[in-house]
Amino acid sequence: MGKKRTKLVVIGGGTGLSTLLRGLKHHPFEITAIVTVADDGGSSGRLRDDYDIPPPGDVRNVIAALSDVEPLVEQMFQYRFSASEDLRGHSLGNLMLTALTEITGDFNHAISEMGKVLKVHGRVIPAANKKINLHAELEDGSIIEGESKIPMAKKRLSRVFLVPENVQPLPEAIRAINRADYILIGPGSLYTSIIPNLLVKGIGEAIIRAKGRKIYVCNLMTQKGETISYTAGDHVQALYKHVGDSFVDSILVNDVKLPHPVEELYKEECAEPVTFDVAKLESMGLEVIKRDIATIRSDGTVRHNAANVAKWLVDYANIYKQNISEPIIES
């Protein structure tokens, strides 16, 4: 009889989620990725508006990250057209997901079928199966409409919200959360990649109720227009504010100082390493886990080291395995 795999739900979007999944897929996890569909810019935004479907871009990146195909096939799926005026900016994967949605009449079904073609490790589920719009309220009370415009705000954000607000999650997403041994939230843009998932009616509530251990993978850097000067504690408080309750059990942070030239490069973008205010986090009841989880790319950008995060989670799951004694009941 085969060894029971650890059930893992990962929630987020953007490059953070796809980077993390590339490391996790090589380990014995039963992975479900719940992916934001709040994007309204670029190729995704154009297809979203032209075909009245959820934007495919974040989902496409997650499918590519979890796929098990020849590198050339993945490169083709991610290929972005540039010469044609009509196709400029569109990726082949976005067009394929749009075509499959038109053929099947259902975005989630299209994702499932594309997953079979690209031999995806696990399941990819959109946070919502219909088009939604992300809005932000700034501290001065003004409103910004559209996910792509929010990072350009020059004032601090107070909150983000969905329109329509009563959008329902897919039953598969709720079942995966209910069954999960571990729920990873992040990394990714706090207000535009992570929180929109939690605002979908039912997902935030399911996470609060879930028996699985909830871990926030904290961002490495602050982000202009979203989290300027935010500490790790500020990130967690923003999650709690939008969900309406505290729910995080553990937070994973990077404990290795970044080189000075990298910090200087990010200063030009009004960004800096996230300060890990351990005393505040512990006062919030969080288990603070410090690890070497950052990697620096050739262009100087900082990303999570997917292999290191995945290895840590394998070890962490082994340590906590004896604590998961009660069966997790499916709804």
Side-chain angles (χ1 to χ4, degrees):
M1 188 173 179
K3 187 177 180 182
K4 184 181 177 182
R5 291 191 299 167
T6 300
K7 297 180 178 67
L8 178 64
V9 168
V10 189
I11 300 173
T15 57
L17 179 60
S18 54
T19 296
L20 192 60
L21 290 170
R22 286 187 183 276
L24 294 171
K25 74 176 181 182
H26 297 296
H27 295 275
F29 295 119
E30 183 181 315
I31 299 173
T32 299
I34 299 176
V35 188
T36 182
V37 287
D39 188 12
D40 67 350
S43 168
S44 282
R46 288 158 59 193
L47 294 170
R48 165 187 177 273
D49 293 338
D50 289 346
Y51 290 90
D52 195 31
I53 63 171
D58 285 285
V59 166
R60 182 198 82 243
N61 284 328
V62 168
I63 289 174
L66 288 174
S67 68
D68 184 18
V69 291
E70 293 295 326
L72 185 60
V73 176
E74 182 186 340
Q75 186 178 353
M76 179 182 69
F77 184 67
Q78 294 282 61
Y79 176 78
R80 198 172 291 275
F81 296 92
S82 58
S84 166
E85 187 65 35
D86 292 333
L87 292 176
R88 183 174 297 150
H90 283 306
S91 71
L92 181 60
N94 283 359
L95 296 176
M96 292 173 72
L97 283 167
T98 301
L100 270 175
T101 303
E102 287 283 285
I103 292 167
T104 64
D106 184 90
F107 185 59
N108 186 45
H109 190 188
I111 295 169
S112 178
E113 293 302 312
M114 186 59 68
K116 294 175 185 176
V117 172
L118 294 182
K119 300 178 183 177
V120 162
H121 290 269
R123 296 197 63 187
V124 180
I125 304 175
N129 206 28
K130 60 184 289 186
K131 187 170 74 172
I132 57 176
N133 295 290
L134 186 66
H135 291 53
E137 181 180 352
L138 305 182
E139 285 189 340
D140 64 1
S142 58
I143 302 294
I144 297 176
E145 298 183 14
E147 181 271 344
S148 61
K149 298 184 181 70
I150 292 172
M152 295 186 286
K154 295 182 179 179
K155 300 175 183 177
R156 285 176 67 94
L157 297 177
S158 175
R159 70 181 182 110
V160 292
F161 58 96
L162 300 179
V163 176
E165 292 189 347
N166 63 346
V167 62
Q168 297 294 317
L170 286 155
E172 303 97 297
I174 303 303
R175 281 197 295 271
I177 292 169
N178 290 343
R179 295 172 65 238
D181 297 311
Y182 296 93
I183 300 169
L184 295 190
I185 297 119
S189 299
L190 181 63
Y191 286 102
T192 53
S193 290
I194 298 174
I195 289 176
N197 296 286
L198 309 180
L199 293 176
V200 173
K201 188 174 177 60
I203 288 183
E205 291 90 336
I207 292 172
I208 292 170
R209 296 193 307 266
K211 293 180 180 178
R213 194 160 188 84
K214 300 133 199 177
I215 304 167
Y216 175 51
V217 183
C218 192
N219 288 345
L220 303 169
M221 310 297 294
T222 62
Q223 186 173 353
K224 181 180 179 180
E226 290 199 36
T227 56
I228 292 176
S229 301
Y230 269 40
T231 66
D234 293 332
H235 282 73
V236 175
Q237 285 182 326
L239 294 174
Y240 289 176
K241 176 181 178 180
H242 285 81
V243 172
D245 202 351
S246 57
F247 63 91
V248 177
D249 298 308
S250 307
I251 181 169
L252 177 64
V253 301
N254 178 53
D255 72 342
V256 177
K257 183 173 174 57
L258 298 174
H260 181 70
V262 172
E263 293 192 16
E264 289 299 310
L265 179 65
Y266 273 89
K267 271 186 182 179
E268 297 175 7
E269 301 177 10
C270 298
E272 61 186 356
V274 173
T275 300
F276 304 119
D277 42 352
V278 175
K280 179 179 180 179
L281 294 167
E282 290 179 341
S283 73
M284 297 167 72
L286 296 176
E287 174 193 25
V288 181
I289 303 158
K290 296 180 280 187
R291 292 291 186 275
D292 178 6
I293 55 170
T295 186
I296 302 168
R297 296 186 173 182
S298 58
D299 61 357
T301 56
V302 180
R303 295 288 184 267
H304 282 81
N305 186 313
N308 286 4
V309 174
K311 183 181 182 305
W312 163 79
L313 186 58
V314 170
D315 294 340
Y316 186 82
N318 287 335
I319 292 170
Y320 273 86
K321 192 169 292 182
Q322 64 269 26
N323 296 330
I324 306 173
S325 55
E326 296 182 16
I328 295 175
I329 301 171
E330 292 187 44
S331 64

